[in-house]
Amino acid sequence: MATKVIGWLDERMGLLGIWNTIFDRKVPKVNWWYTLGSATLFLAVMQGVTGIFLSIYYVPTPEDAYNSIEYIMNEVAFGWLVRGIHHWGATLMVVTVFLHMLRVFFYGAYKYPREVTWLTGVLLLVVTLGSGFTGYLLPWNQRAYWATAVGSSIVGTVPLIGDFLLRVVRGGDDLTILTLARFFGVHIWFLPASGFALIGVHLYLVIRNGISNVPQRGE
Ligand code: HEM
């Protein structure tokens, strides 16, 4: 029955072709370091899924943000688990993305023809770190507030346009409801949307160019 359904769909949608291109590729003999990109991908998806669930209860206003997180932790069924995965997943993702980048660097996998894969990776690194920075403010507790006050003040040290950039990041001179609103918007819309689009291009290039070999001595 299942084979019939798949056959029917395949005839009309070319599903097996897509499946074979993605999962039935020729891969050189590699090692465990090559799993770090997939580990990062898994974490990115987990962050997306847990973030969607958190957005059901989280309220992005200075009055309610902290309380809504307390509510998620203490009242919502498995809220502590979903938030815990999102919290620790963010930290773990920063670790895996850096290790993945180091693997690519030390194996010289950024060289021809994978330069654009590397460039999309650099943008993904910025998106990952930006997500961590904007997410950190959302609980709106003392630590979040002052970490963002310090973090955003660094932007203000850019020569000439520092003051302007600081106001763009904060939505004014101080950390207010406007800061929380824009960090929330950037955290749940701008960064995930650009991140998953970039991951699409990144993975297309990984499939198109194939996985690089483990470099041999003298290469
Ligand atoms: C959200 C972040 C990222 C995800 C989900 C991701 C995902 C992946 C996956 C699944 C692969 C194939 C398996 C592997 O080689 O590990 C890969 C390969 C690659 N990635 Fe990433 N990556 C990310 C960030 C980065 C960063 C920060 C860089 C470098 C700046 C980078 C550069 C590359 C390159 C050059 C390859 C090809 C490696 C080869 O052919 O050996 N990626 N990526």
Side-chain angles (χ1 to χ4, degrees), residues 150-166:
V150 174
S152 57
S153 69
I154 296 171
V155 177
T157 62
V158 174
L160 301 176
I161 52 167
D163 278 349
F164 168 74
L165 288 180
L166 185 70

Side-chain angles (χ1 to χ4, degrees), residues 122-141:
V122 172
L123 294 176
L124 280 167
L125 181 68
V126 173
V127 168
T128 308
L129 297 179
S131 302
F133 182 62
T134 50
Y136 204 81
L137 178 68
L138 302 186
W140 201 254
N141 53 23

Side-chain angles (χ1 to χ4, degrees), residues 15-202:
L15 291 183
L16 287 180
I18 299 174
W19 175 271
N20 290 341
T21 311
I22 297 176
F23 295 110
D24 202 10
R25 293 176 284 128
K26 285 208 164 49
V27 178
K29 196 168 160 30
V30 289
N31 57 37
W32 281 95
W33 297 109
Y34 283 75
T35 58
L36 288 163
S38 305
T40 312
L41 178 63
F42 173 77
L43 288 169
V45 172
M46 285 298 273
Q47 291 305 97
V49 172
T50 49
I52 288 172
F53 279 106
L54 288 175
S55 75
I56 291 176
Y57 288 102
Y58 175 74
V59 182
T61 61
E63 292 78 35
D64 298 312
Y66 181 78
N67 292 335
S68 65
I69 299 269
E70 288 284 294
Y71 187 77
I72 290 170
M73 292 300 279
N74 300 316
E75 306 292 335
V76 178
F78 298 108
W80 57 274
L81 183 62
V82 175
R83 183 179 177 227
I85 294 174
H86 199 75
H87 181 92
W88 290 107
T91 308
L92 199 57
M93 192 173 156
V94 171
V95 173
T96 58
V97 82
F98 264 110
L99 291 176
H100 170 56
M101 186 175 71
L102 288 177
R103 191 286 283 175
V104 168
F105 180 75
F106 284 116
Y107 279 17
Y110 54 85
K111 294 178 192 169
Y112 175 85
R114 299 184 180 81
E115 300 94 326
V116 184
T117 321
W118 173 269
L119 288 176
T120 54
V122 172
L123 294 176
L124 280 167
L125 181 68
V126 173
V127 168
T128 308
L129 297 179
S131 302
F133 182 62
T134 50
Y136 204 81
L137 178 68
L138 302 186
W140 201 254
N141 53 23
Q142 288 290 323
R143 196 170 53 173
Y145 185 93
W146 292 109
T148 306
V150 174
S152 57
S153 69
I154 296 171
V155 177
T157 62
V158 174
L160 301 176
I161 52 167
D163 278 349
F164 168 74
L165 288 180
L166 185 70
R167 275 199 295 278
V168 171
V169 171
R170 290 184 178 174
D173 288 327
D174 301 312
L175 261 66
T176 62
I177 186 171
L178 288 178
T179 324
L180 184 57
R182 70 184 50 198
F183 271 52
F184 179 67
V186 169
H187 187 76
I188 74 156
W189 290 118
F190 285 67
L191 292 175
S194 41
F196 282 109
L198 281 166
I199 287 178
V201 179
H202 198 70

